[in-house]
Amino acid sequence: MKRWYVVHTQPRAEDRAQWHLENQGFDCFVPRCRRTRRHARRTDTVLEPLFPRYLFAYFDADASRWLAINSSRGVVALLTDGTRPLPIPSDIVEKLIAESDAQGVTPLASLGMFWKGRKVRIKSGPFAGQMGEVAEVFAKGRDRVHVLLSMLGVQTRMQLPSYALETA
């Protein structure tokens, strides 16, 4: 029976490990999120793994050559209990896949990180560093959050992408 397993990768080698594992016939998934990066007075949005140094592989531990995973390029090790790989609940990975877009980007708002009343800090943009409170999380498919900010004694409602926020 096919199940999802966790593969520990080398630093920043998730794509390399995924490519090599897929060439060996394993189905893999690397959930990604958007992150705002500042460098040399430039701000850009980049895709990064949601779980750095980890990816998910889908295979049948009884029928496949899963020991080959440990010797694949970019892989440190398949998580095991010592003798057999440790499966993870399939609904976790299936939810990540269902929520992600074609690039594998999973909206952080859909992961339950933000809810009404939660305190957040804005990470990027003109209001970076400001503290606010989540007023509303948009429905599935939109990676946007309404945030209430107190500015000059007045509460202002702003709509921001979830990758521009962090929990406080």
Side-chain angles (χ1 to χ4, degrees):
M1 179 173 140
K2 284 189 163 188
R3 309 254 331 246
W4 285 102
Y5 299 90
V6 178
V7 178
H8 186 217
T9 67
Q10 294 172 349
R12 300 182 189 269
E14 297 87 1
D15 293 332
R16 179 186 212 193
Q18 180 180 10
W19 189 84
H20 284 284
L21 291 174
E22 286 176 347
N23 279 342
Q24 295 175 47
F26 296 102
D27 293 326
C28 297
F29 178 64
V30 178
R32 300 185 185 283
C33 63
R34 287 189 173 84
R35 183 174 150 277
T36 302
R37 179 178 64 182
R38 281 190 223 155
H39 178 71
R41 296 185 188 159
R42 256 187 40 217
T43 304
D44 43 325
T45 303
V46 296
L47 297 180
E48 287 192 347
L50 187 60
F51 307 109
R53 296 191 67 188
Y54 291 95
L55 64 84
F56 300 107
Y58 189 65
F59 60 90
D60 185 352
D62 296 325
S64 66
R65 301 177 326 121
W66 59 267
L67 286 171
I69 292 175
N70 289 334
S71 60
S72 298
R73 289 184 182 248
V75 173
V76 172
L78 176 66
L79 297 185
T80 65
D81 64 0
T83 58
R84 306 255 321 141
L86 289 171
I88 60 170
S90 61
D91 58 334
I92 293 173
V93 180
E94 297 300 331
K95 180 180 181 194
L96 289 171
I97 291 171
E99 297 286 335
S100 66
D101 63 11
Q103 296 174 318
V105 177
T106 304
L108 298 177
S110 69
L111 297 178
M113 293 179 61
F114 304 109
W115 57 83
K116 187 174 181 172
R118 177 132 196 205
K119 300 290 184 196
V120 293
R121 178 179 292 112
I122 300 174
K123 295 190 303 188
S124 62
F127 299 103
Q130 294 287 327
M131 296 291 291
E133 182 178 311
V134 174
E136 177 186 2
V137 178
F138 280 97
K140 178 180 171 182
R142 292 192 61 201
D143 198 15
R144 310 289 284 179
V145 179
H146 272 162
V147 177
L148 293 174
L149 290 177
S150 263
M151 297 187 313
L152 303 172
V154 178
Q155 278 204 333
T156 306
R157 189 178 182 111
M158 296 181 64
Q159 188 182 112
L160 299 166
S162 64
Y163 62 83
L165 302 172
E166 64 184 0
T167 56

